[in-house]
Coordinates of all heavy atoms in Angstrom, one line a residue:
K1 N 128.3 106.3 98.5 CA 128.4 107.0 97.2 C 127.1 107.0 96.5 O 127.0 107.8 95.5 CB 129.5 106.3 96.4 CG 130.9 106.4 96.9 CD 131.9 105.6 96.1 CE 133.3 105.8 96.6 NZ 134.3 105.1 95.8
Q2 N 126.1 106.3 96.9 CA 124.8 106.3 96.2 C 123.7 106.4 97.2 O 123.8 106.1 98.4 CB 124.7 104.9 95.5 CG 125.6 104.7 94.3 CD 125.4 103.4 93.6 OE1 125.5 102.3 94.3 NE2 125.1 103.4 92.3
L3 N 122.6 106.9 96.7 CA 121.3 106.9 97.4 C 120.3 106.2 96.6 O 120.1 106.4 95.4 CB 120.9 108.3 97.7 CG 121.4 109.1 98.9 CD1 120.8 110.5 98.9 CD2 121.1 108.4 100.2
A4 N 119.5 105.3 97.3 CA 118.3 104.7 96.7 C 117.1 105.4 97.4 O 117.2 105.7 98.6 CB 118.3 103.2 96.9
F5 N 116.1 105.6 96.6 CA 114.9 106.2 97.2 C 113.6 105.8 96.4 O 113.7 105.2 95.3 CB 114.9 107.7 97.3 CG 115.1 108.4 96.0 CD1 114.1 108.8 95.2 CD2 116.4 108.7 95.5 CE1 114.2 109.5 94.0 CE2 116.6 109.3 94.3 CZ 115.5 109.7 93.5
I6 N 112.5 106.0 97.0 CA 111.2 105.6 96.4 C 110.6 106.9 95.8 O 110.6 108.0 96.5 CB 110.3 104.9 97.4 CG1 110.8 103.6 97.7 CG2 108.9 104.8 96.8 CD1 110.1 102.9 98.8
R7 N 110.1 106.8 94.6 CA 109.4 107.9 93.9 C 108.0 107.6 93.7 O 107.7 106.5 93.0 CB 110.2 108.3 92.7 CG 109.5 109.4 91.8 CD 110.5 110.0 90.8 NE 111.4 110.8 91.5 CZ 112.4 111.5 90.8 NH1 112.6 111.4 89.5 NH2 113.2 112.3 91.5
T8 N 107.1 108.4 94.1 CA 105.6 108.3 93.8 C 105.1 109.5 93.1 O 105.9 110.5 92.9 CB 104.8 108.1 95.1 OG1 104.9 109.3 95.9 CG2 105.4 106.9 96.0
Q9 N 103.9 109.5 92.7 CA 103.3 110.6 91.9 C 103.2 111.8 92.8 O 102.9 111.8 94.0 CB 102.0 110.2 91.3 CG 102.1 109.1 90.2 CD 100.7 108.8 89.7 OE1 99.8 108.4 90.4 NE2 100.5 109.0 88.4
G10 N 103.4 113.0 92.1 CA 103.2 114.3 92.8 C 101.9 114.9 92.3 O 101.2 114.4 91.4
G11 N 101.7 116.2 92.7 CA 100.6 117.0 92.3 C 99.3 116.4 92.6 O 99.1 115.5 93.5
R12 N 98.2 116.9 91.9 CA 96.9 116.4 92.1 C 96.3 116.0 90.8 O 96.3 116.7 89.8 CB 96.0 117.4 92.8 CG 94.6 117.0 93.1 CD 93.8 118.1 93.8 NE 93.6 119.2 92.9 CZ 93.0 120.3 93.3 NH1 92.6 120.5 94.6 NH2 92.8 121.3 92.5
G13 N 95.9 114.7 90.7 CA 95.4 114.2 89.4 C 93.9 114.5 89.1 O 93.3 115.4 89.8
A14 N 93.4 113.9 88.1 CA 92.1 114.1 87.6 C 91.1 113.6 88.7 O 91.5 112.8 89.6 CB 91.8 113.4 86.3
A15 N 89.8 114.0 88.6 CA 88.8 113.6 89.5 C 88.2 112.3 89.1 O 87.1 112.2 88.6 CB 87.7 114.7 89.6
F16 N 89.0 111.2 89.4 CA 88.6 109.9 89.0 C 87.5 109.4 89.9 O 87.3 110.0 91.0 CB 89.8 108.9 89.1 CG 90.9 109.1 88.1 CD1 92.1 109.6 88.5 CD2 90.6 108.9 86.8 CE1 93.1 109.8 87.6 CE2 91.6 109.1 85.8 CZ 92.9 109.5 86.2
P17 N 86.7 108.4 89.5 CA 85.6 107.9 90.3 C 86.1 107.5 91.7 O 87.2 106.8 91.8 CB 85.1 106.7 89.6 CG 85.4 107.0 88.1 CD 86.7 107.8 88.2
L18 N 85.4 107.9 92.8 CA 85.9 107.7 94.1 C 85.7 106.2 94.6 O 86.4 105.7 95.4 CB 85.1 108.6 95.1 CG 85.3 110.1 94.9 CD1 84.3 110.9 95.6 CD2 86.7 110.5 95.3
L19 N 84.7 105.5 94.0 CA 84.4 104.2 94.4 C 85.1 103.1 93.6 O 84.9 101.9 93.8 CB 82.9 103.9 94.3 CG 82.0 104.8 95.2 CD1 80.6 104.7 94.9 CD2 82.3 104.6 96.7
E20 N 86.0 103.5 92.7 CA 86.7 102.6 91.8 C 88.2 102.5 92.3 O 88.9 103.4 92.3 CB 86.7 103.2 90.4 CG 87.5 102.4 89.4 CD 87.5 103.0 88.0 OE1 86.4 103.3 87.5 OE2 88.6 103.3 87.5
P21 N 88.5 101.3 92.8 CA 89.9 101.0 93.2 C 90.9 101.3 92.1 O 90.7 101.0 91.0 CB 90.0 99.6 93.6 CG 88.5 99.2 93.8 CD 87.7 100.0 92.9
R22 N 92.0 102.0 92.5 CA 93.0 102.4 91.5 C 94.4 102.0 92.0 O 94.7 102.1 93.2 CB 92.9 103.9 91.2 CG 91.6 104.4 90.6 CD 91.7 105.8 90.2 NE 92.6 106.0 89.1 CZ 92.2 105.8 87.8 NH1 91.0 105.3 87.5 NH2 93.1 105.9 86.8
H23 N 95.3 101.7 91.0 CA 96.7 101.4 91.3 C 97.4 102.7 91.8 O 97.2 103.8 91.2 CB 97.3 100.9 90.0 CG 98.8 100.8 90.1 ND1 99.5 99.9 90.9 CD2 99.8 101.6 89.5 CE1 100.8 100.1 90.8 NE2 101.0 101.1 89.9
V24 N 98.2 102.6 92.8 CA 99.0 103.7 93.3 C 100.5 103.4 92.9 O 101.1 102.5 93.4 CB 98.9 103.9 94.8 CG1 99.8 105.0 95.2 CG2 97.5 104.1 95.2
S25 N 101.0 104.1 91.9 CA 102.3 103.7 91.3 C 103.4 104.1 92.2 O 103.4 105.1 93.0 CB 102.4 104.4 89.9 OG 102.5 105.8 90.1
W26 N 104.6 103.4 92.1 CA 105.8 103.7 92.8 C 107.0 103.1 92.1 O 106.8 102.1 91.3 CB 105.7 103.3 94.2 CG 105.6 101.9 94.5 CD1 104.5 101.1 94.3 CD2 106.6 101.0 95.2 NE1 104.8 99.8 94.8 CE2 106.0 99.7 95.3 CE3 107.9 101.3 95.6 CZ2 106.7 98.7 95.8 CZ3 108.6 100.2 96.2 CH2 108.0 98.9 96.3
E27 N 108.1 103.8 92.2 CA 109.3 103.3 91.6 C 110.5 103.4 92.6 O 110.5 104.2 93.5 CB 109.7 104.3 90.4 CG 108.6 104.4 89.4 CD 108.7 105.6 88.4 OE1 109.5 106.5 88.7 OE2 107.9 105.7 87.5
I28 N 111.5 102.6 92.3 CA 112.8 102.7 93.1 C 113.8 103.3 92.2 O 114.1 102.9 91.0 CB 113.2 101.3 93.5 CG1 112.2 100.7 94.5 CG2 114.6 101.4 94.2 CD1 112.6 99.3 95.0
W29 N 114.4 104.4 92.7 CA 115.4 105.2 91.9 C 116.8 105.0 92.6 O 116.9 104.8 93.8 CB 115.0 106.7 91.9 CG 114.0 107.0 90.8 CD1 112.8 106.4 90.7 CD2 114.2 107.8 89.7 NE1 112.2 106.9 89.5 CE2 113.0 107.8 88.9 CE3 115.3 108.7 89.3 CZ2 112.9 108.5 87.8 CZ3 115.1 109.4 88.1 CH2 113.9 109.3 87.4
L30 N 117.8 105.2 91.8 CA 119.2 105.1 92.3 C 119.9 106.4 91.8 O 119.8 106.7 90.6 CB 119.9 103.8 91.8 CG 121.2 103.5 92.4 CD1 121.1 103.2 93.8 CD2 121.9 102.3 91.6
A31 N 120.6 107.0 92.7 CA 121.3 108.3 92.4 C 122.7 108.3 92.8 O 123.1 107.7 93.9 CB 120.5 109.5 93.0
D32 N 123.6 109.0 92.1 CA 124.9 109.2 92.5 C 125.0 110.4 93.4 O 124.5 111.5 93.1 CB 125.8 109.5 91.2 CG 127.2 109.7 91.5 OD1 127.6 110.9 91.8 OD2 128.0 108.7 91.5
V33 N 125.6 110.2 94.6 CA 125.6 111.3 95.6 C 126.4 112.5 95.1 O 126.0 113.7 95.3 CB 126.2 110.8 96.9 CG1 126.5 111.9 97.9 CG2 125.2 109.8 97.5
E34 N 127.5 112.3 94.4 CA 128.4 113.4 94.0 C 127.7 114.3 92.9 O 127.7 115.5 93.0 CB 129.7 112.9 93.5 CG 130.7 114.0 93.2 CD 132.1 113.4 92.8 OE1 132.3 112.2 92.9 OE2 132.9 114.2 92.3
T35 N 127.1 113.6 91.9 CA 126.5 114.4 90.8 C 125.1 114.8 91.1 O 124.5 115.7 90.5 CB 126.6 113.6 89.5 OG1 125.8 112.5 89.6 CG2 128.1 113.2 89.2
G36 N 124.4 114.0 91.9 CA 123.0 114.2 92.1 C 122.1 113.6 91.0 O 120.9 113.7 91.1
E37 N 122.7 113.0 90.0 CA 121.9 112.4 88.9 C 121.4 111.0 89.3 O 122.2 110.2 89.9 CB 122.8 112.4 87.7 CG 123.2 113.7 87.1 CD 124.0 113.6 85.9 OE1 124.3 112.5 85.4 OE2 124.4 114.7 85.3
G38 N 120.2 110.8 88.9 CA 119.6 109.5 89.2 C 118.8 108.9 88.1 O 118.6 109.5 87.1
Y39 N 118.4 107.6 88.2 CA 117.7 106.9 87.2 C 116.7 105.9 87.8 O 116.9 105.5 89.0 CB 118.6 106.3 86.2 CG 119.4 105.1 86.8 CD1 118.9 103.8 86.6 CD2 120.6 105.3 87.4 CE1 119.7 102.7 87.2 CE2 121.3 104.3 87.9 CZ 120.9 103.0 87.8 OH 121.6 101.9 88.3
K40 N 115.7 105.6 87.1 CA 114.7 104.7 87.6 C 115.3 103.3 87.5 O 115.6 102.8 86.4 CB 113.4 104.8 86.8 CG 112.3 103.8 87.2 CD 111.0 104.1 86.5 CE 111.2 103.8 85.0 NZ 109.9 104.1 84.3
L41 N 115.4 102.6 88.6 CA 115.9 101.2 88.6 C 114.8 100.2 88.5 O 115.1 99.1 87.8 CB 116.7 101.0 89.9 CG 117.4 99.7 90.1 CD1 118.4 99.4 89.1 CD2 118.0 99.6 91.5
W42 N 113.7 100.4 89.0 CA 112.6 99.4 89.0 C 111.3 100.2 89.2 O 111.2 101.2 89.9 CB 112.8 98.5 90.2 CG 111.7 97.5 90.4 CD1 111.6 96.2 89.8 CD2 110.6 97.6 91.3 NE1 110.5 95.6 90.3 CE2 109.9 96.4 91.2 CE3 110.1 98.5 92.2 CZ2 108.7 96.1 91.9 CZ3 109.0 98.3 92.9 CH2 108.2 97.1 92.7
K43 N 110.2 99.6 88.5 CA 108.9 100.2 88.7 C 107.9 99.0 89.1 O 108.0 97.9 88.5 CB 108.4 100.8 87.3 CG 107.0 101.4 87.4 CD 106.6 102.1 86.1 CE 105.2 102.7 86.3 NZ 104.8 103.4 85.0
A44 N 107.1 99.3 90.0 CA 106.1 98.3 90.5 C 105.1 97.9 89.4 O 104.8 98.8 88.6 CB 105.4 98.9 91.7
P45 N 104.7 96.7 89.4 CA 103.6 96.3 88.4 C 102.4 97.2 88.6 O 102.0 97.5 89.7 CB 103.3 94.8 88.9 CG 104.5 94.4 89.6 CD 105.1 95.6 90.3
E46 N 101.8 97.5 87.5 CA 100.6 98.4 87.5 C 99.4 97.6 87.7 O 98.5 97.6 86.9 CB 100.6 99.2 86.2 CG 101.8 100.1 86.0 CD 101.7 101.0 84.7 OE1 100.7 100.9 84.1 OE2 102.7 101.7 84.4

């Protein structure tokens, strides 16, 4: 009855410095299979 999935950033961001390590964000989402509606259950520390 439910789907869990991982959500990461889409698109292409700004031209940040290449030599500077950066956090890659991700979240765990939970969705109802029948309605397709979902919500963010957890977000990784930044």
Side-chain angles (χ1 to χ4, degrees):
K1 295 180 179 180
Q2 293 178 303
L3 275 179
F5 58 91
I6 290 173
R7 174 163 286 180
T8 65
Q9 289 181 303
R12 184 176 64 183
F16 292 113
L18 297 168
L19 298 173
E20 179 183 304
R22 300 187 66 82
H23 168 71
V24 180
S25 67
W26 63 291
E27 302 162 351
I28 296 176
W29 278 60
L30 189 65
D32 181 271
V33 168
E34 185 175 351
T35 66
E37 295 180 359
Y39 66 96
K40 180 174 63 180
L41 181 61
W42 177 86
K43 183 177 181 180
E46 295 183 7

